[in-house]
Amino acid sequence: MTDSLFYFTLGLFSIMSQPVDVSIVFAGDAMQHIAQVNSAKRAGDLYDYSECFTEVKDYVSSADYAVVNFETTLGGKPYTGYPCFSTPDSYADALAAAGFDLFLNANNHTLDRGYKGLIKTIETLDKKNISHIGTYVNKSSREMSVPYIKNIKGIKIAFLNYTYGTNGIKPTNGVKVNYIDTLQIKQDIVKSREGGAEVITVAIHWGEEYNLLPNRSQKKLADFLCNQGVDLIIGGHPHVIQPMEIRHSEKYNKDCLVVYSLGNFISNMKTTDTRGGAMVKVILERNVLGKVKIKTANYSLVFTLQPDGKHNYRVVPVESEAVKSMKWQCSQFVKNAESIFSKHNVNVKRESAK
């Protein structure tokens, strides 16, 4: 090898081996109860959610990629809240404008408006160019769409999404919902690797509502996913926070993040533990040897402020001055969340307030 070729090769290797960081933010259950719909209503047929996410927009949009659990449908009128949700299309616009890149649709409310509601939700998100996973118009669509692999700054990350059920409503007319099925999940993980994924994320709807600790089935499924080489496990459904941990997989010689529940991102729920939730920011690193690993995982706490005559529902960091209107309720939410996290979290700490 000539000297010039040697130095060219050395320079090329140096460029290719520069460390790369990728940040991903995960948010919890984005609910839409009827009180939220009514609060967003303006003149005519306009529903304005623009104020709801103003205080967290910078945090969300500053990440390289952001993911939220879209726990409602865009099923059309009449708009409804619990127990069968259907939400104005502008709600999806507001979440996307806040910086969310990927909506998780596999949850227990995805069939609240049945076959037509699921189809309309998918078609509306597609028209708005909002990426989404977990539900599909038919079998062939699922086969083409799973896994969803996103190349973020040169790191290929697979996102998979599953739910424990759909409130007893069964899919009809060939639509597909990703239910928790370990055989199917294992096949999707293998397909993700075959598709070039270097990081595998499983967002999963599981657990028991309002319980601050994971149950046995959650722990068992988390063990299964880690043993399959999954890197990030992000849970939703309980509507309250649950512990987070980074554990090391000897089998794959890498770390696995398990977040049992992020709680509510926004909702009209009013018990202490349902008034807020956590957002997790994961930093993935490709080191100089080309290996991708979890560099850090930290959480921040958010709280939903009720309308006060001047403002709509608002998601705010718990450190925000705006919480003064609900200072006691917010302090109780933080107290309970921190009690759980301080006792049960492993290697996942609270992000310093900015």
Side-chain angles (χ1 to χ4, degrees):
M1 180 183 293
T2 64
D3 288 348
S4 59
L5 181 58
F6 171 78
Y7 286 111
F8 173 79
T9 304
L10 183 63
L12 183 62
F13 176 78
S14 177
I15 293 172
M16 293 177 63
S17 61
Q18 290 296 315
V20 174
D21 284 358
V22 168
S23 59
I24 308 177
V25 164
F26 296 93
D29 304 337
M31 309 297 295
Q32 194 59 196
H33 295 94
I34 195 61
Q36 294 169 267
V37 175
N38 293 338
S39 183
K41 184 165 176 48
R42 302 293 181 264
D45 197 33
L46 177 65
Y47 290 81
D48 183 6
Y49 294 96
S50 58
E51 187 182 22
C52 296
F53 311 111
T54 302
E55 287 214 33
V56 294
K57 180 177 180 179
D58 287 347
Y59 181 83
V60 174
S61 60
S62 67
D64 294 310
Y65 206 67
V67 183
V68 64
N69 178 38
F70 191 65
E71 195 155 357
T72 185
T73 72
L74 303 176
K77 293 182 177 179
Y79 301 130
T80 50
Y82 181 83
C84 290
F85 295 95
S86 185
T87 298
D89 296 354
S90 56
Y91 181 54
D93 294 328
L95 285 165
F100 288 106
D101 302 288
L102 181 64
F103 287 16
L104 306 173
N105 283 352
N107 56 66
N108 60 307
H109 289 289
T110 200
L111 284 172
D112 278 3
R113 283 292 177 90
Y115 161 78
K116 290 183 178 179
L118 184 146
I119 294 293
K120 187 178 182 300
T121 301
I122 290 174
E123 290 179 345
T124 301
L125 293 177
D126 286 344
K127 288 177 182 178
K128 294 177 181 295
N129 293 314
I130 297 173
S131 299
H132 55 92
I133 58 174
T135 59
Y136 311 92
V137 296
N138 52 41
K139 181 180 179 181
S140 62
S141 176
R142 186 194 189 281
E143 290 174 349
M144 289 187 296
S145 303
V146 179
Y148 176 80
I149 299 178
K150 186 71 176 177
N151 188 322
I152 307 173
K153 294 166 67 172
I155 297 178
K156 291 185 176 181
I157 305 171
F159 294 89
L160 305 171
N161 181 209
Y162 308 91
T163 180
Y164 74 92
T166 46
N167 292 344
I169 305 172
K170 302 297 183 182
T172 60
N173 299 311
V175 298
K176 294 296 179 182
V177 176
N178 279 353
Y179 293 108
I180 295 171
D181 176 336
T182 54
L183 179 59
Q184 182 65 67
I185 293 173
K186 187 173 182 178
Q187 291 173 354
D188 293 343
I189 291 170
V190 170
K191 192 176 177 182
S192 298
R193 289 204 186 92
E194 292 173 346
E198 301 169 274
V199 174
I200 298 175
T201 304
V202 173
I204 195 155
H205 215 66
W206 60 0
E208 297 175 38
E209 291 183 331
Y210 318 121
N211 283 5
L212 290 165
L213 293 174
N215 62 24
R216 183 178 300 178
S217 65
Q218 284 173 277
K219 293 179 180 179
K220 183 178 179 179
L221 188 52
D223 290 343
F224 167 80
L225 294 171
C226 287
N227 288 334
Q228 298 302 312
V230 171
D231 301 270
L232 308 175
I233 303 168
I234 308 295
H237 175 62
H239 301 303
V240 296
I241 60 90
Q242 290 182 345
M244 316 167 183
E245 62 179 274
I246 293 179
R247 58 174 77 170
H248 187 72
S249 169
E250 295 294 342
K251 179 179 179 180
Y252 292 92
N253 190 29
K254 65 178 181 179
D255 290 338
C256 173
L257 170 68
V258 181
V259 177
Y260 283 107
S261 175
L262 288 171
N264 284 332
F265 180 58
I266 187 170
S267 80
N268 186 46
M269 294 185 178
K270 296 176 181 177
T271 59
T272 296
D273 298 322
T274 62
R275 287 186 179 271
M279 290 195 291
V280 167
K281 179 182 285 186
V282 179
I283 306 296
L284 300 172
E285 176 191 50
R286 185 190 300 283
N287 62 26
V288 294
L289 299 177
K291 181 177 176 61
V292 179
K293 65 175 184 178
I294 299 172
K295 184 177 181 180
T296 60
N298 297 294
Y299 70 89
S300 58
L301 296 175
V302 293
F303 185 80
T304 297
L305 295 176
Q306 299 277 313
D308 58 8
K310 296 180 179 179
H311 301 285
N312 197 350
Y313 287 82
R314 290 177 291 163
V315 180
V316 300
V318 296
E319 300 86 3
S320 171
E321 286 293 322
V323 301
K324 62 185 178 183
S325 63
M326 297 182 68
K327 185 176 180 179
W328 185 84
Q329 293 94 330
C330 183
S331 66
Q332 293 303 301
F333 162 72
V334 173
K335 179 182 177 182
N336 289 1
E338 286 298 337
S339 175
I340 291 295
F341 289 150
S342 64
K343 292 177 183 177
H344 300 282
N345 277 20
V346 179
N347 298 320
V348 183
K349 297 181 180 180
R350 186 170 173 180
E351 192 169 1
S352 299
K354 300 293 189 295

